[in-house]
Amino acid sequence: MKDCNQCGKCCIKYGGGDLSATTHEIDHWENHHPEIFEYVKDDEIWFDPISGQKLERCPFLNTEPDKNTNAPKKYTCNIYQHRPEDCRTYPSLISEMIRDECEMIDASDLTNPTKAQERLDSLMDRWL
């Protein structure tokens, strides 16, 4: 398995309507991070604070500036330390990574998915 290269595929694919936040996270944002909470509406996340319309993409996903215009974009999360659990626990399965064309997948992961899942489990334990 390769290191994450910040391709942003997971955030772009799931950063809109496919994410949720726990009541605890929403309460925490309301009390300690109003800049995040302003994007919450009726206990759902990522709504435009002005129009109230559902956003198609996480408002905290940004591209990292790069002087080399030919280089692939790298994405960063402005709320990484306070991101929803849905974000913190993805990916949990090799099959998800394959389905989502995650760039961390290596050819060896495809030939031995059991070993790849063990590596992923170990990585996720460290990331959490």
Side-chain angles (χ1 to χ4, degrees), residues 3 11 15-16 20-21 23 26 35-36 41 43 57 67-68 71 73 77 79 81 90 92 103 119 123 126:
D3 290 334
C11 296
S20 63
T23 302
I26 291 171
E35 72 283 4
I36 301 172
K41 178 181 172 185
D43 291 332
R57 186 169 144 177
K67 292 181 173 95
N68 179 356
K73 287 183 182 178
C77 174
I79 61 167
Q81 295 299 322
Y90 181 89
S92 60
E103 295 185 14
R119 281 194 302 258
L123 277 174
R126 286 188 299 199

Side-chain angles (χ1 to χ4, degrees), residues 101-117:
E101 300 177 0
C102 177
E103 295 185 14
M104 289 175 60
I105 291 286
D106 191 79
S108 64
D109 299 326
L110 301 175
T111 59
N112 193 340
T114 301
K115 186 173 181 180
Q117 185 65 52

Side-chain angles (χ1 to χ4, degrees), residues 19-22 25 29 82-90 128:
L19 286 178
S20 63
T22 66
E25 290 166 330
W29 296 336
H82 306 288
R83 68 197 187 281
E85 184 177 345
D86 277 3
C87 299
R88 288 192 310 269
T89 59
Y90 181 89
L128 294 174

Side-chain angles (χ1 to χ4, degrees), residues 38-101:
E38 70 179 329
Y39 290 89
V40 175
K41 178 181 172 185
D42 299 326
D43 291 332
E44 292 187 29
I45 59 174
W46 309 164
F47 285 83
D48 184 291
I50 297 169
S51 71
Q53 298 296 310
K54 181 79 170 159
L55 298 172
E56 292 187 22
R57 186 169 144 177
C58 174
F60 302 102
L61 179 65
N62 293 306
T63 52
E64 203 171 87
D66 195 331
K67 292 181 173 95
N68 179 356
T69 56
N70 295 326
K73 287 183 182 178
K74 287 191 174 196
Y75 290 84
T76 59
C77 174
N78 282 355
I79 61 167
Y80 189 81
Q81 295 299 322
H82 306 288
R83 68 197 187 281
E85 184 177 345
D86 277 3
C87 299
R88 288 192 310 269
T89 59
Y90 181 89
S92 60
L93 299 171
I94 292 297
S95 59
E96 288 175 332
M97 296 173 76
I98 293 168
R99 176 195 66 212
D100 297 340
E101 300 177 0

